[in-house]
Amino acid sequence: MDYSIKIGGEAGQGLQSIGLILAKTFNRAGYHIFTVQDYESRIRGGHSAFYLRFSDKPVEASSTPITFLVCFDKPTLSLYQTDVSPSGYIIYNSDAIKEEVRLKPFDEVNGRELATARPRSATKRTKQLERTGRHSVPVPLDTLALQTGNDKIYANSIALGAVIGLVGCDFNILSATLAEFFGGKHKQGDVVEKNILSAKTGFELIRNKFPQCPFPLAVKPRNNRMVITGSEAIALGALAAGCKFYSGYPMTPSTGILNYMAHAADKMGVVVEQAEDEIAAINMALGASYAGVQAMTATSGGGFALMIEGLSLAAMTETPIVIALGQRPAPATGLPTRTEQADLEYALYAGHGEFPRAIFTPGNAQQCFYLTAHAFQIAEKYQIPVFVLTDQYLADSYQDFEPFDISRIDATRYIMTDGELSSVKEYKRHALTPSGISPRALPGQSQHLVITDSDEHTEDGHLTEDLQVRTQMVDKRLRKYEALSKEVIAPSLEANTKAKTILVSWGSNYGVVKEAAQALDYAALHFQQVWPFPKDDFLRLTQGAQRIIVIENNATGQLARLIKSQTGLTNISSINKYNGLPFTTDELTAKITK
């Protein structure tokens, strides 16, 4: 089985809460889940939607047609009803949508309206319903919410109960999830009871109205899988690696990391600072790192633009730092709450001067966790800035995973011990070494003076304009690439690994490309790290391929261009989407086979 739900309404109506509660409920009922959020850049008003897919097999992307559409307002019905499958259900708020709902035929090929005829009579409507096969389910959400909770806010729980009733899921699982969700947020009053009562009302209304619903779910309760977003996983990965200082300025879609770190700060012993801007944020993190704690900052495109001088400062002073860059459609403010993968080259080339860096591009929340922890290791070991690239699609999407394995995290610190320092007669913070990595001591750690400078400096950290030293220092910093390149993470090859057509992705397109490759019996190659570029691994994995197609959410094919420049290959084509929405599996499959 493989079903999907789309819930639509105005921003501020609590759609994210409904979606998250449903996701946790289905996960606890024994199903795998995947969600996508689509919202406008405003606090309240404007259209917003939450997509949830659940299946008895792992799911890693969104797809159409939709099995269940929940409409809190009329625009939702207009936007998505033609995406509902021929056997699907449309639950709509009959208090908000007064006029008769006239279903439009479903286009199985394009998911669009086939006919524009809109029968007005009940007889004609009945005939059309029979023809489309879909069911419209009017529920007076506002009226029922006032009756059960004395507040329209409980319309959300009425809808939750209706969905659970329609799919035939055990109400007790939803009840327990509601108790946990609202019990944690509201310590006082009868909020939990009213939400459960409201959900029960919606559940029983649907069960009485559709006693022969064809979607009875077999429930296999479990509690051992997490439901987590990419932003939450990045924050957890940082904490697992030993991050003790986080500074940032709120900017979608990176704000989720700041929120999670602030929530965990007291329990995990982390200093979390909301800086006055991104310039302060990166410089605070650099100061903390220079003083000896592992530090991180996160931002999005416009905020990263302000951080770039700090990025170069990290490079010159060889101060470790992890930067999470949440991509969103740009330039300028662009589409602040939508998704795009257009900052790969920005992260690769940002900063004045030439210096080493590493760029990780996780494809799901699990990779976010392990790669962020690894990013701290690489930053520490090589004393360089390291990027973790995410985007709104990955940052906000929930998916279920087995609990992360903390034993896989390497939390080694690459700082000289007191004993090592006591045996050193002279300490030089930027000592020239064959590897380019200088032994790192902390200010105040011993009697040795620890000095660095944003100007070019000597081995002991003092400012210099000696041109021979300048050349030595540039060479020293760039020598780090030799070792860094040897431990680069190779791309993964999945689906039909012997296929002659290879679909290539990076970052958040991992799941959708993998599902498309499985559907077409192609191979799927995914980059978790794009810099240093794993040239040898890529050439080995694509040897013998007749078609290499790079799928990206940007207009110009930034990864495709990087591959060509690094390998010299020319037989590479691209499929790009850059309207602010992620690919769906069926959409991508259709584009590949077109």
Side-chain angles (χ1 to χ4, degrees):
M1 59 144 285
D2 192 341
Y3 299 139
S4 60
I5 301 171
K6 178 160 275 187
I7 306 164
E10 289 187 0
Q13 285 189 308
L15 303 186
Q16 183 183 17
S17 297
I18 298 177
L20 178 56
I21 292 169
L22 275 178
K24 289 188 172 183
T25 300
F26 288 126
N27 180 55
R28 290 170 179 178
Y31 293 91
H32 298 281
I33 62 96
F34 182 86
T35 78
V36 177
Q37 296 187 50
D38 178 19
Y39 52 97
E40 296 182 8
S41 178
R42 57 182 74 181
I43 302 301
R44 189 171 181 84
H47 180 70
S48 184
F50 192 100
Y51 169 91
L52 167 64
R53 181 180 171 193
F54 60 104
S55 172
D56 53 359
K57 298 178 181 176
V59 286
E60 302 186 68
S62 60
S63 65
T64 53
I66 302 164
T67 319
F68 308 96
L69 176 63
V70 181
C71 307
F72 278 86
D73 60 6
K74 190 173 180 180
T76 301
L77 185 67
S78 302
L79 285 169
Y80 306 119
Q81 69 158 295
T82 55
D83 292 337
V84 178
S85 74
S87 59
Y89 286 73
I90 300 175
I91 301 173
Y92 66 95
N93 183 2
S94 55
D95 289 321
I97 306 173
K98 297 289 187 181
E99 63 270 35
E100 182 183 19
V101 171
R102 307 180 187 97
L103 297 183
K104 302 171 185 175
F106 172 75
D107 181 344
E108 293 189 14
V109 177
N110 298 314
R112 295 174 180 169
E113 181 183 3
L114 279 176
T116 56
R118 297 185 176 186
R120 295 183 177 278
S121 71
T123 301
K124 287 183 178 180
R125 175 175 172 271
T126 302
K127 288 181 178 178
Q128 191 176 58
L129 281 172
E130 290 173 352
R131 183 157 61 88
T132 64
R134 287 174 290 173
H135 304 269
S136 62
V137 184
V139 179
L141 295 176
D142 296 336
T143 301
L144 293 176
L146 288 171
Q147 291 173 358
T148 58
N150 198 32
D151 194 322
K152 286 185 179 180
I153 197 172
Y154 294 100
N156 290 350
S157 292
I158 300 283
L160 278 170
V163 171
I164 292 299
L166 204 55
V167 301
C169 189
D170 185 346
F171 179 79
N172 291 328
I173 300 176
L174 172 61
S175 177
T177 307
L178 284 168
E180 178 185 292
F181 186 87
F182 289 106
K185 287 191 173 183
H186 304 276
K187 303 294 184 185
Q188 301 176 348
D190 54 358
V191 174
V192 173
E193 289 75 13
K194 286 184 176 179
N195 274 288
I196 293 175
L197 178 61
S198 298
K200 188 72 173 178
T201 300
F203 179 83
E204 291 181 343
L205 183 148
I206 294 297
R207 297 306 286 176
N208 293 331
K209 196 167 186 176
F210 295 92
Q212 303 300 323
C213 175
F215 301 100
L217 294 188
V219 175
K220 301 176 181 178
R222 65 180 180 200
N223 294 307
N224 64 338
R225 288 182 72 84
M226 303 182 299
V227 173
I228 190 169
T229 66
S231 286
E232 292 169 345
I234 286 174
L236 277 175
L239 295 171
C243 178
K244 292 298 180 186
F245 185 90
Y246 180 94
S247 51
Y249 184 81
M251 189 171 185
T252 305
S254 66
T255 308
I257 303 172
L258 173 62
N259 290 341
Y260 196 94
M261 295 295 282
H263 179 73
D266 289 343
K267 187 180 294 183
M268 300 299 294
V270 181
V271 174
V272 177
E273 178 71 17
Q274 178 178 322
E276 66 267 32
D277 57 33
E278 289 83 355
I279 298 172
I282 191 169
N283 285 312
M284 284 180 178
L286 288 175
S289 179
Y290 181 67
V293 300
Q294 291 175 290
M296 177 181 182
T297 187
T299 187
S300 301
F304 182 56
L306 298 179
M307 287 186 175
I308 290 177
E309 188 161 1
L311 171 69
S312 292
L313 177 64
M316 177 58 96
T317 59
E318 301 183 72
T319 305
I321 188 170
V322 175
I323 303 168
L325 176 55
Q327 302 165 97
R328 69 187 203 186
T333 311
L335 295 173
T337 59
R338 285 350 200 278
T339 199
E340 199 162 89
Q341 293 182 299
D343 290 346
L344 188 155
E345 291 178 335
Y346 190 24
L348 179 57
Y349 299 117
H352 42 296
E354 300 165 302
F355 55 89
R357 70 192 77 194
I359 302 175
F360 295 103
T361 53
N364 57 31
Q366 186 177 54
Q367 293 180 10
C368 283
F369 175 78
Y370 291 112
L371 287 179
T372 301
H374 186 56
F376 274 88
Q377 272 297 290
I378 294 299
E380 278 276 306
K381 186 175 181 179
Y382 293 95
Q383 302 168 23
I384 58 172
V386 177
F387 292 91
V388 178
L389 261 59
T390 179
D391 52 48
Q392 183 272 329
Y393 175 44
L394 176 58
D396 292 341
S397 292
Y398 289 98
Q399 197 173 348
D400 65 300
F401 294 97
E402 294 288 340
F404 300 145
D405 183 1
I406 195 79
S407 69
R408 288 176 52 185
I409 304 304
D410 181 358
T412 304
R413 298 298 311 272
Y414 293 88
I415 296 173
M416 296 181 74
T417 65
D418 293 347
E420 290 171 332
L421 275 168
S422 64
S423 63
V424 173
K425 184 177 294 184
E426 184 184 19
Y427 174 74
K428 296 179 178 178
R429 173 64 189 93
H430 298 288
L432 297 173
T433 63
S435 67
I437 304 170
S438 306
R440 183 182 174 211
L442 304 179
Q445 186 180 1
S446 71
Q447 76 279 11
H448 295 296
L449 199 57
V450 179
I451 300 176
T452 190
D453 200 295
S454 64
D455 281 54
E456 192 56 273
H457 39 246
T458 58
E459 289 184 86
D460 57 12
H462 287 101
L463 182 154
T464 183
E465 294 200 22
D466 184 314
L467 303 186
Q468 183 177 359
V469 173
R470 158 66 182 177
T471 303
Q472 291 174 333
M473 281 296 162
V474 172
D475 290 343
K476 164 196 142 49
R477 292 189 287 267
L478 292 178
R479 271 201 300 277
K480 297 178 184 180
Y481 267 135
E482 295 176 18
L484 187 59
S485 298
K486 292 177 182 175
E487 59 176 305
V488 68
I489 297 175
S492 61
L493 191 65
E494 299 183 70
N496 181 358
T497 57
K498 298 185 183 303
K500 297 298 181 184
T501 297
I502 300 178
L503 309 180
V504 178
S505 67
W506 61 282
S508 63
N509 276 331
Y510 168 69
V512 70
V513 169
K514 180 181 171 183
E515 289 202 2
Q518 290 169 336
L520 297 169
D521 200 28
Y522 292 163
L525 186 146
H526 179 256
F527 284 90
Q528 293 187 53
Q529 182 172 2
V530 296
W531 196 259
F533 186 79
K535 175 182 174 181
D536 293 341
D537 293 309
F538 180 79
L539 291 175
R540 172 177 54 81
L541 292 169
T542 58
Q543 189 175 21
Q546 294 174 352
R547 294 175 69 201
I548 298 175
I549 306 171
V550 183
I551 289 94
E552 302 181 69
N553 285 114
N554 58 53
T556 61
Q558 295 189 18
L559 178 63
R561 191 156 51 243
L562 183 63
I563 293 172
K564 291 175 184 176
S565 70
Q566 295 296 309
T567 66
L569 295 177
T570 56
N571 62 332
I572 293 174
S573 58
S574 292
I575 293 177
N576 304 87
K577 182 176 180 179
Y578 43 94
N579 68 348
L581 297 177
F583 286 105
T584 63
T585 301
D586 49 310
E587 173 195 25
L588 180 57
T589 303
K591 286 180 179 291
I592 294 168
T593 55
K594 187 175 179 180

